[in-house]
Amino acid sequence: MKILICENYEHLSEVASNIIEDKITANPKCVLGLATGGTPEGTYQRLIDKYKQGSLDFSSVTTFNLDEYYGLNGRHPQSYAKYMYDKLFKHINIDINNTNIPQGDVDDIKKECKRYEEAILEAGGIDLQLLGIGTNGHIGFNEPNAYLKTKTHLVKLKEETINANSRFFEKKEDVPTRAITMGIKSIFRAKEILLLASGPEKAPIIMELLKGQLSTYVPASILNLHPSVTIVVDKAFIEYLKKQNVELSAI
Ligand code: PGA
């Protein structure tokens, strides 16, 4: 597990976008796993900038998003399909047919989960999976629990996740309480993982993750078993460690 420490959010976004750029340059037909939320927004903006400057070509890239709110149509303003379209896809030359997001408003959820899982495999698997992390350690919407599901599935969101995501909605009651998410194995099968965590509120869970212990109550801790993980944090993480009187090398 590699950890990169950046000056601030802008720097973190630059570093993350460079890693993704390198991946696309090395393999223009690569399959990217994408994330939503506040953290990757800066990374997406930089990818758009690189495309506009002519240094990136998305025409052969395929993407799979981690998750989608259950019950939301892809045109709903808070759906992750709309997020991806607005924050990345509509600004670059990606073939929209090569972008994949679980469909949140289907009748047969089990069928949709199976379809999504198979689509990832048919595409040859994910080359690079971008991840955020919840303050409770969730990756995708795999919430802390006594057990973790391996494949794409419907999940009940934890109160802390609903609270955290309510900032994107008019009121908390509008936040869907369920979501479709890739499972732990769907994520874990990615050849490379790039996890971004910015700001002081993410520092405690990153410290927990870096302890190298496995717990289903810290879903991200499974990444300790993955052969190729890069975690990008900003200085807020180091400041947190200082306050705890912990050296990074001691974790
Ligand atoms: P955030 O969400 O980027 O909005 O903090 C991350 C996550 O919940 O995985």
Side-chain angles (χ1 to χ4, degrees):
M1 196 175 268
K2 192 159 75 180
I3 178 149
L4 304 177
I5 297 155
C6 299
E7 275 304 313
N8 49 35
Y9 177 70
E10 285 68 35
H11 185 207
L12 172 148
S13 302
E14 189 59 35
V15 166
S17 69
N18 288 344
I19 292 172
I20 296 170
E21 178 181 19
D22 288 349
K23 183 57 57 185
I24 298 173
T25 305
N27 176 13
K29 291 186 175 178
C30 68
V31 179
L32 299 177
L34 298 179
T36 50
T39 312
E41 285 190 23
T43 305
Y44 293 151
Q45 187 52 55
R46 272 155 191 79
L47 290 175
I48 294 166
D49 295 343
K50 286 172 192 288
Y51 165 70
K52 289 192 171 157
Q53 287 152 11
S55 63
L56 256 184
D57 175 12
F58 290 87
S59 60
S60 302
V61 171
T62 297
T63 64
F64 284 89
N65 264 79
L66 284 166
D67 41 27
E68 178 60 283
Y69 286 118
Y70 176 63
L72 295 197
N73 180 285
R75 285 179 300 279
H76 187 284
Q78 258 70 44
S79 72
Y80 286 158
K82 184 82 169 69
Y83 170 109
M84 288 310 304
Y85 187 70
D86 287 347
K87 304 220 183 283
L88 183 63
F89 298 154
K90 78 172 175 190
H91 305 284
I92 58 174
N93 67 333
I94 198 159
D95 179 348
I96 209 74
N97 295 314
N98 291 340
T99 67
N100 299 273
I101 301 174
Q103 224 182 304
D105 61 342
V106 288
D107 292 332
D108 192 339
I109 280 291
K110 276 201 175 143
K111 195 169 153 203
E112 172 58 8
C113 293
K114 191 164 177 283
R115 180 198 70 78
Y116 201 69
E117 199 66 28
E118 285 170 2
I120 299 172
L121 293 180
E122 270 163 32
I126 292 167
D127 294 304
L128 176 68
Q129 175 67 57
L130 181 63
L131 291 179
I133 185 168
T135 51
N136 66 3
H138 74 208
I139 46 175
F141 272 134
N142 293 278
E143 299 281 35
N145 224 322
Y147 57 85
L148 296 173
K149 291 202 175 169
T150 54
K151 295 183 182 167
T152 302
H153 61 284
L154 183 67
V155 67
K156 194 171 177 309
L157 301 179
K158 295 272 179 186
E159 194 63 23
E160 58 268 22
T161 299
I162 293 173
N163 284 336
N165 290 4
S166 65
R167 71 190 196 276
F168 298 112
F169 289 79
E170 221 168 89
K171 48 187 192 307
K172 188 181 156 189
E173 294 69 42
D174 294 341
V175 185
T177 55
R178 290 188 289 176
I180 301 175
T181 182
M182 279 189 202
I184 288 293
K185 189 173 170 188
S186 338
I187 295 172
F188 205 80
R189 268 197 306 241
K191 293 181 191 80
E192 262 182 76
I193 289 180
L194 175 61
L195 185 147
L196 311 181
S198 170
E201 64 283 357
K202 297 289 171 73
I205 197 67
I206 293 296
M207 180 163 153
E208 203 53 41
L209 164 62
L210 292 179
K211 282 181 185 163
Q213 300 167 162
L214 300 181
S215 167
T216 59
Y217 289 97
V218 183
S221 67
I222 192 83
L223 299 178
N224 281 295
L225 296 176
H226 194 283
S228 183
V229 178
T230 302
I231 299 179
V232 191
V233 295
D234 53 23
K235 278 273 175 66
F237 178 61
I238 298 300
E239 279 152 24
Y240 173 79
L241 292 187
K242 273 191 203 145
K243 275 193 203 141
Q244 307 289 313
N245 282 320
V246 177
E247 299 267 344
L248 184 55
S249 57
I251 301 176

